[in-house]
Coordinates of all heavy atoms in Angstrom, one line a residue:
R1507 N 11.5 -10.8 -38.2 CA 12.2 -11.6 -39.2 C 12.4 -13.0 -38.7 O 12.7 -13.2 -37.5 CB 13.6 -10.9 -39.5 CG 14.4 -11.6 -40.6 CD 15.9 -11.2 -40.4 NE 16.1 -9.8 -40.5 CZ 16.4 -9.2 -41.7 NH1 16.6 -9.9 -42.8 NH2 16.6 -7.9 -41.7
N1508 N 12.4 -14.0 -39.6 CA 12.7 -15.3 -39.3 C 13.3 -16.0 -40.6 O 12.5 -16.2 -41.5 CB 11.6 -16.1 -38.7 CG 12.0 -17.5 -38.3 OD1 13.2 -17.8 -38.1 ND2 11.0 -18.4 -38.0
E1509 N 14.6 -16.3 -40.6 CA 15.2 -17.0 -41.7 C 15.7 -18.3 -41.2 O 16.4 -18.4 -40.2 CB 16.3 -16.2 -42.2 CG 17.0 -16.8 -43.5 CD 18.0 -15.9 -44.1 OE1 18.0 -14.6 -43.8 OE2 18.9 -16.4 -44.8
N1510 N 15.3 -19.4 -41.9 CA 15.6 -20.8 -41.5 C 16.5 -21.4 -42.5 O 16.1 -21.4 -43.7 CB 14.4 -21.6 -41.2 CG 13.8 -21.4 -39.8 OD1 13.1 -22.3 -39.3 ND2 13.9 -20.2 -39.3
Y1511 N 17.5 -22.1 -42.1 CA 18.4 -22.8 -43.0 C 17.9 -24.3 -43.0 O 17.5 -24.8 -41.9 CB 19.9 -22.7 -42.6 CG 20.4 -21.3 -42.8 CD1 20.2 -20.3 -41.9 CD2 21.1 -21.0 -44.0 CE1 20.7 -19.0 -42.1 CE2 21.6 -19.7 -44.2 CZ 21.4 -18.7 -43.3 OH 21.8 -17.5 -43.5
I1512 N 18.0 -24.9 -44.1 CA 17.4 -26.2 -44.3 C 18.5 -27.3 -44.3 O 19.4 -27.3 -45.2 CB 16.6 -26.3 -45.6 CG1 15.7 -25.0 -45.7 CG2 15.7 -27.5 -45.6 CD1 14.7 -24.8 -44.5
A1513 N 18.4 -28.3 -43.4 CA 19.3 -29.4 -43.3 C 19.0 -30.4 -44.4 O 17.9 -30.4 -45.0 CB 19.3 -30.0 -42.0
P1514 N 19.9 -31.3 -44.7 CA 19.7 -32.3 -45.7 C 18.4 -33.1 -45.4 O 17.7 -33.6 -46.3 CB 20.9 -33.2 -45.7 CG 22.0 -32.3 -45.2 CD 21.3 -31.3 -44.3
S1515 N 18.1 -33.3 -44.2 CA 16.9 -34.0 -43.8 C 15.6 -33.2 -43.9 O 14.5 -33.8 -43.8 CB 17.0 -34.5 -42.3 OG 17.1 -33.3 -41.5
G1516 N 15.7 -31.9 -44.2 CA 14.6 -31.1 -44.3 C 14.3 -30.3 -43.0 O 13.4 -29.5 -43.0
A1517 N 15.0 -30.6 -42.0 CA 14.8 -29.9 -40.7 C 15.3 -28.4 -40.8 O 16.2 -28.1 -41.5 CB 15.6 -30.5 -39.6
C1518 N 14.5 -27.5 -40.1 CA 14.8 -26.1 -40.2 C 15.5 -25.6 -39.0 O 15.3 -26.1 -37.8 CB 13.5 -25.3 -40.3 SG 12.5 -25.7 -41.8
S1519 N 16.4 -24.7 -39.1 CA 17.2 -24.1 -38.0 C 17.6 -22.7 -38.3 O 17.8 -22.4 -39.5 CB 18.4 -25.0 -37.7 OG 19.3 -24.3 -36.8
I1520 N 17.7 -21.9 -37.3 CA 18.1 -20.5 -37.5 C 19.6 -20.4 -37.7 O 20.1 -19.4 -38.0 CB 17.6 -19.6 -36.4 CG1 18.2 -20.1 -35.0 CG2 16.1 -19.5 -36.3 CD1 17.9 -19.1 -33.9
H1521 N 20.3 -21.5 -37.4 CA 21.8 -21.5 -37.5 C 22.2 -21.7 -38.9 O 21.8 -22.6 -39.6 CB 22.3 -22.6 -36.6 CG 22.0 -22.4 -35.1 ND1 22.4 -21.4 -34.4 CD2 21.2 -23.2 -34.3 CE1 21.9 -21.5 -33.1 NE2 21.1 -22.6 -33.1
Q1522 N 23.1 -20.9 -39.4 CA 23.6 -20.9 -40.8 C 24.3 -22.2 -41.1 O 25.0 -22.7 -40.2 CB 24.5 -19.7 -41.0 CG 24.8 -19.5 -42.5 CD 25.4 -18.1 -42.7 OE1 25.6 -17.3 -41.8 NE2 25.8 -17.8 -44.0

Side-chain angles (χ1 to χ4, degrees):
R1507 180 201 303 266
N1508 186 14
E1509 184 174 339
N1510 279 208
Y1511 291 84
I1512 315 301
S1515 64
C1518 298
S1519 171
I1520 61 173
H1521 301 294
Q1522 192 167 356

